[in-house]
Amino acid sequence: MIAVVGHTDLTEDAHGVVRAALRTRLAQAPAGTGALVRAGRGLPQVYGRAAREAGRPLTVVLPAEGAVPAPLPAADRAAAGELLLLAEQVRLLPYDPAVRDTVVAADERLVGAARTLLAVWDGSPSDGSDATAHLVAYARARSVPVEVVWPAGAARTGRAERAPGVRRGRPAAGPVGRRPGTCGPGGRDLRP
């Protein structure tokens, strides 16, 4: 599987050039290689469309509360719906989409399940709202090959788009404390 992470504040104009670059990269992958993304608007949608155009099977990861999907922030619901239509497989992963630290932990799980990571990244350091640099370092520390995708014409708005109600920190209790490598009851692993 080829997973993607990257900046959430890409400009609308950047979506097209990033999509073309991702489609080209996915088309070069060995036959049967799938694409893996966590549901959301912006880059996840761009990647889902690129995967479909490149003929790659898409796996979309949704947040879970126990064994059922958890509600997504309102701003991500339409995008998640599109990704579900594009997906060949959907997997549940326990995380709270309103808590940044659990979202980053979910992205770390995706990175760990990938054979390659595509990072839509301008090389800037991580900050309080953008964890792209952290995820690149996380992948490299685990020997997951990283390919940085930042084509000419890619640009950021300069502010990470955080959904209303998203907060930093970990929840007091919840499904995030499950044993590593599982995504809920039954122990389904994200690894291909």
Side-chain angles (χ1 to χ4, degrees), residues 65-145:
E65 291 176 350
V68 298
L72 287 164
D76 287 329
R77 289 181 193 148
E82 178 186 352
L83 286 167
L84 291 174
L85 291 173
L86 295 172
E88 289 193 15
Q89 186 174 42
V90 175
R91 296 186 183 169
L92 298 177
L93 182 66
Y95 73 94
D96 183 345
V99 179
R100 179 188 182 273
D101 289 349
T102 68
V103 171
V104 173
D107 284 341
E108 288 173 350
R109 296 270 298 280
L110 267 64
V111 168
R115 290 201 174 119
T116 301
L117 178 67
L118 300 180
V120 179
W121 181 43
D122 65 0
S124 63
S126 291
D127 61 25
S129 60
D130 186 302
T132 306
H134 162 76
L135 293 167
V136 168
Y138 182 88
R140 289 177 175 158
R142 281 147 187 81
S143 300
V144 174

Side-chain angles (χ1 to χ4, degrees), residues 15-82:
H15 285 192
V17 296
V18 168
R19 181 174 166 179
L22 291 171
R23 180 179 54 241
T24 298
R25 172 54 189 91
L26 288 168
Q28 296 169 350
T33 302
L36 177 64
V37 68
R38 182 177 47 78
R41 71 187 184 292
L43 179 59
Q45 275 180 294
V46 169
Y47 188 63
R49 293 170 185 165
R52 174 58 72 116
E53 292 164 357
R56 298 298 170 180
L58 178 66
T59 299
V60 174
V61 175
L62 291 175
E65 291 176 350
V68 298
L72 287 164
D76 287 329
R77 289 181 193 148
E82 178 186 352

